[in-house]
Amino acid sequence: MTLLDSLRRGDRLALARVLTHVENDTPEGRAALQELFRQTGRAHLVGVTGAPGTGKSSLVNQLALQFRMAKARVAIIAIDPTSPFTGGAVLGDRVRMKDLSGDEDVFIRSMASRGALGGLARTTSGVAQVFDAAGYDTVIIETVGAGQGEVEIARLAHTTLVVEAPGLGDDIQAIKAGILEIADVLVVNKADLPGVDNAEKALRSMLELAHPRSRELLHHSELLKIDGPEQMEEAWPVTIVRTVATRGDGVEGLAQKIREHAAYLHASGNWTRREEERVTADVSALLENSLVAQFRAGLPEGRYNEVMRQVLGKQLSPKEAVALLIDHAG
Ligand SMILES: Nc1nc2c(ncn2[C@@H]2O[C@H](COP(=O)(O)OP(=O)(O)O)[C@@H](O)[C@H]2O)c(=O)[nH]1
Ligand SMILES: [Mg+2]
């Protein structure tokens, strides 16, 4: 039986094993990704990001329950901040997601961030691809929205939720404009707490700063003429949804918004366009790597190191070094 067969049949042990290999970037993991590639591209990747304590895990739990009610198979990737003391992932998330345990059509995977952010985005992409190939309809990725790395991970997603909550300090300091820019849906969670109106108001004004073009699109009818893919991307109006994750209030509406966004991506052609961009970037990175390897293998013995020494000794600039190497290879 092939690996794909085992995954498709819902063999959770096989799935867990493949995920570990992909996370550790082992040869087996890379081979699995190759084998599974043809079966990817169907799952809806939903990113959930925001400051710690805003209620992301609680919300993900509730969202997963909503998607399960609609019979979707749900995978959750929880990327936990690495604890400076133990080097391990924080366990709280897994505990809070226990409502879903025992459901055969839900798979929760916690990943430690390990501080390697560039690599983490790639690993997360690989893990999401495995879930995709294994037939999970929705893959929810929870990240702490703190830095550029998290923004990158959120960019993997088709639909990105940015979660905010009142009471994390005066105004919305916890959130950064850079993170707002990647939001497809803004969630004001903890709507049961005082200060929710102020939080929403602050968010709304930040939203207008972050999305000036989409505001124009919404406010000036003559600009609504959509003639290119870039304008289409802007044509999705970012909305604010209030939730109380601990009670599940507003989560049905949020799940509906997420489905609408997927439908919008398909209808606008953006779903395919994103896939194209990702695959093009992957292929050119691979191509570059193998061309460089091939080129270096064709150089006379020791030539590369010799030129590098000259660069380090400031006798050659990097550009001159490359010109020299290319001359010698030809
Ligand atoms: N009052 C209130 N508390 C909430 C709500 N959602 C989550 N919490 C609580 O906020 C804390 C942090 O939640 P968690 O989901 O772990 O947040 P995360 O760090 O963003 O994943 C927990 O104690 C939750 O029970 C909510 O809507 N209202
Ligand atoms: Mg969490």
Side-chain angles (χ1 to χ4, degrees):
M1 193 160 56
T2 68
L3 173 65
L4 184 63
D5 289 334
S6 318
L7 295 193
R8 283 270 172 188
R9 288 162 124 251
D11 182 341
R12 294 171 77 91
L13 206 63
L15 177 54
R17 244 192 323 255
V18 172
L19 291 172
T20 302
H21 276 300
V22 168
E23 264 191 68
N24 295 330
D25 195 27
T26 64
E28 289 92 332
R30 286 194 289 268
L33 284 177
Q34 273 190 48
E35 189 186 334
L36 299 176
F37 175 75
R38 281 175 185 76
Q39 309 299 324
T40 60
R42 227 185 36 82
H44 183 199
L45 272 53
V46 179
V48 179
T49 191
T54 48
K56 295 179 299 299
S57 296
S58 315
L59 206 55
V60 166
N61 199 52
Q62 294 286 346
L63 277 173
L65 290 169
Q66 284 293 329
F67 291 133
R68 287 297 299 128
M69 275 189 246
K71 300 274 177 281
R73 300 183 66 209
V74 183
I76 296 167
I77 307 173
I79 299 163
D80 300 326
T82 301
S83 155
F85 303 108
T86 65
V90 177
L91 288 172
D93 283 342
R94 220 195 278 254
V95 174
R96 224 166 280 123
M97 283 171 178
K98 66 175 181 269
D99 300 12
L100 300 163
S101 68
D103 186 336
E104 282 292 306
D105 289 311
V106 174
F107 200 105
I108 301 169
R109 184 74 177 189
S110 285
M111 278 170 43
S113 55
R114 289 198 199 100
L117 288 175
L120 187 61
R122 208 177 329 113
T123 307
T124 309
S125 167
V127 167
Q129 283 178 47
V130 173
F131 282 127
D132 187 356
Y136 286 87
D137 305 291
T138 309
V139 180
I140 308 177
I141 306 165
E142 179 191 336
T143 58
V144 176
Q148 186 55 40
E150 282 75 14
V151 171
E152 258 172 55
I153 293 161
R155 279 212 184 97
L156 278 178
H158 297 103
T159 302
T160 301
L161 314 186
V162 173
V163 184
E164 189 47 63
L168 290 174
D170 299 338
D171 268 339
I172 308 279
Q173 295 172 348
I175 205 161
K176 294 187 182 136
I179 278 179
L180 267 191
E181 272 161 33
I182 59 166
D184 297 303
V185 182
L186 280 168
V187 182
V188 180
N189 188 43
K190 305 196 181 182
D192 55 323
L193 295 185
V196 63
D197 289 332
N198 281 342
E200 183 172 334
K201 206 157 39 172
L203 213 49
R204 207 168 283 287
S205 51
M206 285 190 76
L207 184 61
E208 302 215 327
L209 285 174
H211 289 265
R213 278 197 58 220
S214 90
R215 196 165 126 235
E216 279 175 11
L217 282 167
L218 293 173
H219 289 265
H220 304 288
S221 52
E222 73 272 18
L223 288 174
L224 278 171
K225 193 165 66 70
I226 287 156
D227 47 25
E230 270 164 46
Q231 280 96 330
M232 267 321 275
E233 184 94 72
E234 294 286 349
W236 168 260
V238 179
T239 46
I240 299 179
V241 178
R242 284 191 187 196
T243 55
V244 182
T246 38
R247 296 201 300 250
D249 296 358
V251 181
E252 194 182 340
L254 180 59
Q256 186 51 34
K257 263 278 167 269
I258 294 169
R259 289 190 200 99
E260 279 169 27
H261 188 250
Y264 152 79
L265 288 177
H266 281 297
S268 63
N270 279 340
W271 187 285
T272 317
R273 202 165 56 83
R274 278 179 194 221
E275 184 80 6
E276 263 172 32
E277 280 170 9
R278 218 195 62 220
V279 172
T280 306
D282 281 356
V283 170
S284 42
L286 284 172
L287 187 60
E288 264 170 48
N289 285 347
S290 37
L291 283 179
V292 168
Q294 203 180 318
F295 173 78
R296 284 184 63 169
L299 286 174
E301 185 77 30
R303 185 66 187 139
Y304 184 83
N305 289 341
E306 185 191 316
V307 170
M308 276 312 293
R309 259 196 305 278
Q310 287 179 276
V311 177
L312 290 172
K314 305 282 184 200
Q315 289 128 308
L316 284 175
S317 75
K319 212 173 162 180
E320 286 165 337
V322 169
L324 205 63
L325 286 170
I326 288 177
D327 267 358
H328 276 269

